[in-house]
């Protein structure tokens, strides 16, 4: 169990850092798309096909940014970058909370109020990821037109969030039982 806990702490911290770096790079690319679009290729691989543009995706939030004069449509890219940055921040927070849960449970019971709060946050963040993708898809479609994005909702994140929120109730019950046992001793 200790090895799994150590591995979990290391992996979640690495994934948290990667998501923070990804969010920062995508935010920088969003700024770059408006300030210096000629440098946009430094941040993002923009394999633009003249016929249909380029596909951009982050955790199920996907758009097909149309080509404009051989380059990606900067409005579509900016709106995608805003949504993608928010999604990457939420996922970084998920891995941060997971890391802290592993860390808090190292030498103590996992049924701690902080762990329960963080599990609720993970469930909420997991639900928020596809919701943000859906909202941003609607906004992009309204701003840029019908051809650039398809509105969809990835139910995987919503189902995962519901499962985590349900499991949180078991931790609440476990914390209450642990408190009762401690009161008897």
């Amino acid at each position: 169990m200790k090895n799994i806990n150590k591995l979990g702490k290391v992996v979640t911290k690495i994934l948290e850092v990667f998501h923070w770096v990804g969010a920062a790079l995508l935010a920088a690319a969003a700024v770059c798309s408006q300030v210096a679009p000629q440098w946009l290729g430094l941040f993002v691989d923009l394999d633009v096909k003249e016929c249909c543009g380029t596909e951009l995706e982050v955790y199920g939030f996907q758009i097909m940014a149309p080509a404009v004069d051989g380059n990606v449509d900067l409005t579509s890219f900016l709106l995608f970058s805003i949504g993608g940055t928010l999604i990457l921040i939420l996922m970084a927070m998920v891995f941060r909370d997971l890391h802290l849960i592993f860390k808090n449970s190292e030498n103590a019971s996992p049924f701690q109020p902080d762990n329960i709060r963080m599990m609720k946050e993970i469930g909420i963040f997991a639900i928020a990821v596809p919701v943000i993708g859906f909202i941003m898809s609607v906004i992009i479609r309204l701003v840029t037109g019908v051809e650039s994005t398809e509105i969809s909702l990835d139910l995987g994140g919503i189902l995962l969030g519901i499962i985590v929120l349900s499991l949180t109730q078991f931790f609440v019950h476990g914390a209450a039982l642990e408190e009762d046992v401690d009161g008897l001793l």
Side-chain angles (χ1 to χ4, degrees):
M1 184 68 175
K2 263 191 168 180
N3 290 336
I4 292 174
N5 199 23
K6 281 184 181 181
L7 180 65
K9 282 186 351 186
V10 170
V11 169
T12 54
K13 183 50 86 174
I14 290 170
L15 289 172
E16 177 193 353
V17 169
F18 279 162
H19 282 84
W20 283 120
V21 169
L25 288 174
L26 197 52
V31 171
C32 186
S33 72
Q34 300 304 301
V35 176
Q38 66 274 16
W39 292 353
L40 194 55
L42 296 174
F43 294 99
V44 182
D45 179 25
L46 297 174
D47 184 23
V48 181
K49 297 173 188 79
E50 201 55 48
C51 66
C52 43
T54 189
E55 185 177 331
L56 304 169
E57 180 183 5
V58 174
Y59 279 100
F61 170 46
Q62 178 179 6
I63 70 165
M64 181 62 77
V68 177
D69 299 327
N71 295 318
V72 68
D73 177 43
L74 295 179
T75 304
S76 298
F77 182 80
L78 174 65
L79 293 172
F80 170 81
S81 298
I82 292 169
T85 301
L86 292 174
I87 288 170
L88 288 173
I89 288 171
L90 286 174
M91 290 307 297
M93 293 299 292
V94 165
F95 290 113
R96 175 191 166 275
D97 283 350
L98 281 172
H99 175 77
L100 290 174
I101 288 171
F102 278 122
K103 190 175 177 182
N104 290 345
S105 302
E106 211 167 33
N107 298 317
S109 169
F111 301 112
Q112 301 172 36
D114 280 344
N115 286 354
I116 294 169
R117 176 188 52 79
M118 288 186 281
M119 283 186 65
K120 285 180 185 175
E121 288 176 0
I122 290 170
I124 292 168
F125 294 154
I127 292 171
V129 166
V131 170
I132 287 174
F134 178 75
I135 291 169
M136 289 306 295
S137 293
V138 170
I139 291 171
I140 292 170
R141 190 168 185 138
L142 291 173
V143 171
T144 63
V146 178
E147 67 280 347
S148 68
T149 185
E150 179 179 308
I151 296 176
S152 63
L153 184 62
D154 180 21
L155 293 178
I158 293 174
L159 294 176
L160 177 68
I162 291 170
I163 290 169
V164 170
L165 289 173
S166 298
L167 288 173
T168 302
Q169 295 308 308
F170 292 107
F171 273 76
V172 169
H173 184 67
L177 289 176
E178 192 173 81
E179 189 176 301
D180 287 346
V181 168
D182 288 344
L184 291 174
L185 299 176

